[in-house]
Amino acid sequence: MAAVGVGGSTAAAGPGAVSAGTLEPGTTSAGNVKHLVLFLHEAVLVQYVDTLKLAVPSLIYTLQNNLQYVAISNLPAATFQVTYQLKILTTALFSVLMLNRSLSRLQWASLLLLFTGVAIVQAQQAGGGGPRPLDQNPGAGLAAVVASCLSSGFAGVYFEKILKGSSGSVWLRNLQLGLFGTALGLVGLWWAEGTAVARRGFFFGYTPAVWGVVLNQAFGGLLVAVVVKYADNILKGFATSLSIVLSTVASIRLFGFHLDPLFALGAGLVIGAVYLYSLPRGAVKAIASTSASASGPCIHQQPPGQPPPPQLSSHRGDLITEPFLPKLLTKVKGS
């Protein structure tokens, strides 16, 4: 998640207005419920324009969650996990279009590699891919995954743009998203299952397995926030790759998924693409400079009787490459 921007318009302070900076939950005591309520009233209701902006991504996220259930109902878990990595491609494209970001050549190449790997997996799925339940429709599952990836990419970039263009904190924006998402979810539930819910109760059908899925989704959301805060993109790429491997192993053990060379090739390309895309640009340049220095002219042997020359580090812009250990150093203005 991107850092919150400083700029952005705020509501004018009137009589009884509460300062948002003094009412952040992190700066108040745990028992100061009154100040928390006043802050939420100011941020959610008084500044309703900022709150309404979150209705768009909230609607899209709600749609995305339902599309994921449609997709996983019509695709093997391993195939879904690999195909769902297309969200990296859609997020990158929307970032270029909406945030005017630039991607390196390696990132564009990794996105092409990602698309190739997903295409191979889908070709394997269309060609048979082993036995599957009769009630599964791979075409509907693929359409649901693609729509979910498109919605995920757009909503994520839109949410990031809102965060950077306002002074609201991340937890407040998530609270606003939750409010809209809950309201939209309840409307959808009443539209589709209103009669059944009125007759059987709201929690009818909540088996232990269902509760496990709910808790797993909630824990996963919190875990993503922890990864974004304390880890880097490389570790996130490794985690994504590990999730693909674990999903494949679990599908083989639980659902009799058939792992053939075509699926292994496609999944391998996707894992490699995720790792390459996660590499920071400084590391890529450091690797390239190390390779260039390794293939450069050889150093002549020092004549006998003379002291060896001091070991110098090769400077390339803001990169300093020591033997066998590329390091990325940040330049300081004026130095």
Side-chain angles (χ1 to χ4, degrees):
M1 186 70 65
V4 181
V6 180
S9 60
T10 57
V18 183
S19 173
T22 60
L23 294 178
E24 288 283 356
T27 60
T28 59
S29 61
N32 204 344
V33 180
K34 180 181 178 181
H35 282 187
L36 178 60
V37 172
L38 290 175
F39 168 72
L40 293 178
H41 176 268
E42 170 74 17
V44 176
L45 298 180
V46 176
Q47 302 182 27
Y48 64 92
V49 176
D50 285 343
T51 303
L52 290 177
K53 293 179 182 179
L54 274 299
V56 175
S58 181
L59 174 62
I60 297 176
Y61 280 132
T62 304
L63 175 65
Q64 174 194 343
N65 290 334
N66 288 275
L67 287 173
Q68 289 182 15
Y69 283 106
V70 174
I72 197 63
S73 300
N74 291 280
L75 291 174
T79 304
F80 167 78
Q81 188 70 8
V82 173
T83 309
Y84 190 57
Q85 301 312 313
L86 279 176
K87 64 182 180 180
I88 299 176
L89 173 61
T90 58
T91 303
L93 294 179
F94 281 117
S95 297
V96 172
L97 295 175
M98 298 174 60
L99 301 178
N100 296 322
R101 284 182 178 167
S102 60
L103 301 179
S104 64
R105 293 182 179 179
L106 180 63
Q107 287 178 319
W108 283 115
S110 64
L111 292 177
L112 179 61
L113 193 67
L114 173 69
F115 182 82
T116 304
V118 172
I120 292 176
V121 169
Q122 288 301 320
Q124 179 266 351
Q125 180 69 24
R132 64 170 179 262
L134 297 177
D135 57 345
Q136 284 190 350
N137 186 346
L142 175 60
V145 171
V146 172
S148 179
C149 291
L150 287 172
S151 62
S152 174
F154 176 79
V157 174
Y158 184 90
F159 186 49
E160 181 180 353
K161 192 172 184 179
I162 291 178
L163 286 177
K164 290 184 173 180
S166 65
S167 58
S169 60
V170 177
W171 79 267
L172 175 61
R173 297 310 183 196
N174 279 292
L175 175 64
Q176 293 168 327
L177 278 177
L179 292 175
F180 281 112
T182 302
L184 293 171
L186 291 176
V187 170
L189 176 65
W190 174 80
W191 180 270
E193 304 288 345
T195 305
V197 170
R199 185 174 66 253
R200 299 178 177 178
F202 184 85
F203 291 103
F204 176 80
Y206 274 69
T207 62
V210 174
W211 279 112
V213 172
V214 172
L215 295 177
N216 181 68
Q217 291 280 53
F219 177 74
L222 297 175
L223 194 59
V224 168
V226 173
V227 171
V228 170
K229 183 175 182 180
Y230 295 104
D232 55 12
N233 285 332
I234 297 180
L235 289 179
K236 184 180 178 183
F238 275 120
T240 303
S241 304
L242 182 61
S243 69
I244 295 176
V245 174
L246 292 178
S247 298
T248 304
V249 173
S251 297
I252 294 174
R253 296 282 297 178
L254 299 177
F255 307 111
F257 179 74
H258 177 65
L259 179 63
D260 58 11
L262 198 60
F263 178 87
L265 174 62
L269 290 177
V270 171
I271 292 174
V274 171
Y275 173 74
L276 291 177
Y277 186 83
S278 301
L279 284 176
R281 295 190 180 186
V284 175
K285 291 180 181 179
I287 295 174
S289 62
T290 304
S291 302
S293 61
S295 59
C298 60
I299 301 177
H300 296 285
Q301 186 175 2
Q302 186 74 12
Q306 295 185 9
Q311 180 115 17
L312 298 178
S313 301
S314 59
H315 293 257
R316 297 178 182 268
D318 56 352
L319 290 173
I320 296 182
T321 306
E322 296 181 358
F324 309 107
L325 185 59
K327 290 184 178 180
L328 178 62
L329 301 182
T330 304
K331 273 189 172 181
V332 180
K333 290 186 178 181
S335 59

